Amino acid sequence: SGQVYVRGHMHSEPLLAQRFVLSGTGHVSFAADLGDGSGSGKVPEVYPEWWGCIADNSTDCKGAINEAIRSMHIGQVLRFQAGKYYLVNNTGGGILVTTIGGIPNGIIMRGNAGPLSNTVKSATIHCTNLNVDCLVDEVQSLILEGFTFCFDCGSGVRPVGTGHAIVINSNTAAGGNFIRDSWFQEIPQMAIHVVKGGLSVQRSVFE
C-alpha cells in the first residue's frame, strides 16, 4: 500500500520497459510540476507499458491502463503504440477515466494514427466482454485520438451484447470532451453513448 510520488523528469530506457510493480492499494502519482507551478517538471507522456501492459492481443492490459490513468495530472498524455491492447473487462468494467483525489481532468489519450484514411488503422482497444462498456469517461475534459475500438475484432459482424465502446458520463459543458481520428468496429450497442456531458467527434469512422 502507499503512494510513490514522482516529481521531476523521468527517463526510461528502453522506453516501453515495465517500471512499476504494484500490490494492494499502492499506486504511482506524477507531479504536476517541480513545486513552483511552472509545469516544467511534469512527465509529458506516460505509457501503460510502464505498468506491464503489452499490446500483443493476449496480455490483459486493463489494470495497467487504469493505473496509468490514475497516475496522471492535467495536460499529460497517455501514449499508446501500434498493436492490440486486450482488455479482460469481465469484472469492474473496462477502462475508467475518473477523478481520483481530484485528478485526472484534462488528460489526453493518444494512439498512433494521424488523420484518417481508408487504409490507416491505429492502436486498438480490444474489449472481450460484449456486455460491458469498453471505456467510461467521468472527467471534466478528455481528448482521445488515434484509436480503434472493437469487441469481436476483425469479424466484420456486429456482435450481440449490451456493451458500448465509449460512455461519456461527465458534468462537462458541450465540447469539453473530444474524440478524433478514431475507428469503431464490431460494437454490440452504440459506439459512443453520451449519458451526461458534452462531446465533439472529429474525423472518425463508424463501421
Side-chain angles (χ1 to χ4, degrees), residues 116 144 179-184 201-206:
L116 286 171
L144 189 148
I179 297 174
R180 301 169 178 154
D181 300 321
S182 292
W183 294 69
F184 296 87
V201 180
Q202 303 167 350
R203 302 184 302 273
S204 294
V205 176
F206 300 84

Side-chain angles (χ1 to χ4, degrees), residues 95-170:
I95 300 170
L96 180 60
V97 186
T98 188
T99 55
I100 299 176
I103 58 172
N105 288 321
I107 70 168
I108 302 167
M109 295 178 64
R110 182 168 290 156
N112 68 313
L116 286 171
S117 71
N118 290 332
T119 59
V120 174
K121 297 296 182 180
S122 51
T124 297
I125 304 296
H126 179 186
C127 288
T128 61
N129 191 329
L130 301 179
N131 297 310
V132 174
D133 300 323
C134 211
L135 182 148
V136 177
D137 166 25
E138 295 182 343
V139 299
Q140 293 179 6
S141 177
L142 170 68
I143 297 174
L144 189 148
E145 54 190 14
F147 288 93
T148 294
F149 280 85
C150 62
F151 283 74
D152 195 5
C153 298
S155 70
V157 177
R158 180 175 175 176
V160 176
T162 58
H164 305 87
I166 297 174
V167 174
I168 305 296
N169 188 21
S170 68

